[in-house]
Amino acid sequence: MTITTLLVVGLAPAADATEAGHHTGQLPGGATWVADVPESWNGTIILYSHGFGPLVAQDAPDAATATALLAGGYALVGSSYSGPSWWALESAVGDQFGALAALEAKIGAAKRTIAWGTSMGGLVSAREAEDPHHRIDGALTTCGLVAGALNLDDYQLHGEYALSHLLAPEQAIKLVRYGSQDEAAAAAATLSEVTSDAQATPAGRARIALAAALTNVPTWYTGAVPPAPRDYETQEAQQEQTLAGFVLGFVMTGRYQIELAAGGNSAATRGTDYRALFGGSSHAQQVRTLYRRAGLNLDADLAKLSRDADITADPGAVATLTRTSVPTGRLRVPELAIHTVADQLVPVEQENWYARRVAAAGTGHLLRQAFVQGAGHCAFQPAETIAALHALEARVSTGRWGRGAEPERLNAAAGTGRYVRFEVPHLVGAVSNAKVHGSGIEGGRRDG
């Protein structure tokens, strides 16, 4: 499966869709929308928000899930979003609500509307859950980028900077303020090659592990089960495969799209204490062990990173992303978030930051989070996401969560047995919740 397929999976228009069941249209701002309505509609609309990628309207995460939802009587609708960039958070919430209104104008008002978002779309649905007009009744975020763009840009930059500065200090690899998609792709190809080459030596492997820790890269990438807890070499090998194999290529070109939307670079290294930053990682013991076995001085490398850090953020870009692309945590409706425990593109650690954000806003009673024992971005089975949908619907209907979002109940409904109890690690490089309120955020703004 390609990266684009993984993140932007959508439905081709059904060849045999009837005029009554399949609807499309265009919104005043330029976004397109698509909807599918079953013959026996149950009165619920799923407002689906797609992930990062081409601005193409989608109304479900994949064909199998769409088929199951339509068979269950749900109507589906989603927009393409609009804007100059794939990072379309400026317009996405408005476009989604526009698509919902357009569908309801055709089929009548829904009895219930559930926002469902995937990846970047999970951030969209989290923001829809903050809508003061209560145009939705609940939100389901799946593999959601719920820690927002400021966190995403920061921790990815920390890891890229560590790889570049420790593995290839003589090369001037551009990490921010790309002038074009091609420039970003060229930088990503160079850094991926540097990382792949460094895997040949113990010193290189230790430094890759450090960069992976700063980037919140999980130690499980392939295989039915994760590497053993103390099998640090295998863990690092899977992190290197993750970084060099696809993550660097995806996130560095993705940075160009975010910069395009923000009007500049929102991330900084200057002023960062990398020793403190690294100390908050759940992978710290792995890194320390690999450094010791390689005969390297970890403290010296961390000091070098801190001393030489010179990338600053553009205040205007920080202000734009703070306004458009960071959840406030002020939920207006119940929200259920689900995540695989080893997500390479949207680390599960984002759920830790988001839960604290929601709690700080005083709406923690509306949020529940559930975790699937699996590796991969958005690597859910349709039955697992539909079980989560039903748990959310029960909360909307009854006004209480009960045990509906606990692993045992979700597994019973899904029949897969993969929901587990999981303690979410701290997000390395996280923007302090106390500081995400204005545009003056610079280096040194992290929780650690």
Side-chain angles (χ1 to χ4, degrees), residues 237-416:
Q238 297 211 9
Q239 289 173 317
E240 186 274 333
Q241 292 171 34
T242 299
L243 287 165
F246 80 100
V247 162
L248 290 173
F250 189 90
V251 304
M252 293 176 72
T253 55
R255 182 179 295 277
Y256 168 72
Q257 295 289 330
I258 298 177
E259 290 183 343
L260 192 63
N265 165 51
S266 76
T269 60
R270 180 178 290 177
T272 300
D273 180 345
Y274 279 92
R275 181 184 177 92
L277 199 66
F278 165 72
S281 172
S282 62
H283 304 315
Q285 187 56 48
Q286 175 217 26
V287 175
R288 291 189 182 102
T289 300
L290 292 178
Y291 260 78
R292 185 175 65 252
R293 292 174 181 174
L296 289 179
N297 187 326
L298 176 59
D299 286 339
D301 274 0
L302 293 169
K304 177 179 174 63
L305 290 175
S306 299
R307 181 182 64 250
D308 298 342
D310 62 0
I311 298 173
T312 59
D314 301 320
V318 174
T320 296
L321 294 184
T322 299
R323 175 175 55 84
T324 65
S325 307
V326 178
T328 68
R330 295 189 291 271
L331 299 181
R332 307 288 183 134
V333 296
E335 178 181 340
L336 177 57
I338 67 172
H339 226 108
T340 55
V341 301
D343 187 321
Q344 287 75 32
L345 286 179
V346 181
V348 69
E349 287 87 347
Q350 289 213 14
E351 299 288 354
N352 179 300
W353 187 91
Y354 184 59
R356 292 188 295 118
R357 180 78 161 159
V358 172
T363 57
H365 62 287
L366 291 172
L367 176 67
R368 290 294 183 274
Q369 296 168 309
F371 303 96
V372 169
Q373 181 70 8
H377 182 54
C378 306
F380 308 109
Q381 298 178 23
E384 291 166 341
T385 54
I386 292 173
L389 170 66
H390 292 331
L392 174 62
E393 288 183 298
R395 168 60 178 82
V396 172
S397 296
T398 65
R400 56 190 297 271
W401 286 106
R403 298 183 58 206
E406 294 186 6
E408 297 80 7
R409 294 289 182 86
L410 291 169
N411 283 330
T416 62

Side-chain angles (χ1 to χ4, degrees), residues 10-310:
L11 299 175
D16 60 349
T18 65
E19 182 177 345
H22 186 70
H23 305 272
T24 61
Q26 186 167 11
L27 300 173
T32 59
W33 62 272
V34 62
D36 290 283
V37 182
E39 291 185 7
S40 298
W41 180 34
N42 65 13
T44 296
I45 292 177
I46 304 296
L47 178 61
Y48 178 71
S49 300
H50 69 74
F52 178 82
L55 302 184
V56 177
Q58 299 169 232
D59 62 10
D62 56 73
T65 302
T67 298
L69 289 171
L70 290 169
Y74 297 91
L76 315 176
V77 65
S79 78
S80 62
Y81 319 142
S82 56
S85 163
W86 289 0
W87 188 263
L89 268 294
E90 179 80 49
S91 68
V93 172
D95 289 336
Q96 286 294 93
F97 286 140
L100 175 63
L103 177 61
E104 289 187 310
K106 288 182 174 290
I107 68 174
K111 296 178 182 177
R112 175 181 294 167
T113 299
I114 301 295
W116 180 333
T118 299
S119 193
M120 185 192 80
L123 175 57
V124 176
S125 60
R127 293 186 62 227
E128 290 167 350
E130 300 170 355
D131 174 39
H133 302 294
H134 293 278
R135 284 171 284 193
I136 65 171
D137 299 285
L140 176 64
T141 62
T142 63
C143 50
L145 210 161
V146 289
L150 293 181
N151 280 311
L152 181 76
D153 272 359
D154 268 12
Y155 67 69
Q156 288 177 348
L157 179 61
H158 292 316
E160 293 158 12
Y161 166 60
L163 289 171
S164 175
H165 201 55
L166 297 178
L167 298 180
E170 73 288 349
Q171 296 189 47
I173 302 174
K174 192 167 187 177
L175 301 180
V176 298
R177 298 184 178 94
Y178 296 119
S180 67
Q181 190 80 22
D182 287 345
E183 184 178 46
T190 299
L191 192 56
S192 296
E193 183 177 10
V194 164
T195 303
S196 181
D197 290 346
Q199 185 67 11
T201 68
R205 293 192 288 271
R207 286 170 169 147
I208 291 169
L210 171 59
L214 296 175
T215 320
N216 299 284
V217 172
T219 56
W220 181 17
Y221 177 41
T222 60
V225 296
R230 295 185 181 277
D231 186 357
Y232 298 135
E233 285 78 9
T234 300
Q235 292 175 8
E236 184 279 331
Q238 297 211 9
Q239 289 173 317
E240 186 274 333
Q241 292 171 34
T242 299
L243 287 165
F246 80 100
V247 162
L248 290 173
F250 189 90
V251 304
M252 293 176 72
T253 55
R255 182 179 295 277
Y256 168 72
Q257 295 289 330
I258 298 177
E259 290 183 343
L260 192 63
N265 165 51
S266 76
T269 60
R270 180 178 290 177
T272 300
D273 180 345
Y274 279 92
R275 181 184 177 92
L277 199 66
F278 165 72
S281 172
S282 62
H283 304 315
Q285 187 56 48
Q286 175 217 26
V287 175
R288 291 189 182 102
T289 300
L290 292 178
Y291 260 78
R292 185 175 65 252
R293 292 174 181 174
L296 289 179
N297 187 326
L298 176 59
D299 286 339
D301 274 0
L302 293 169
K304 177 179 174 63
L305 290 175
S306 299
R307 181 182 64 250
D308 298 342
D310 62 0

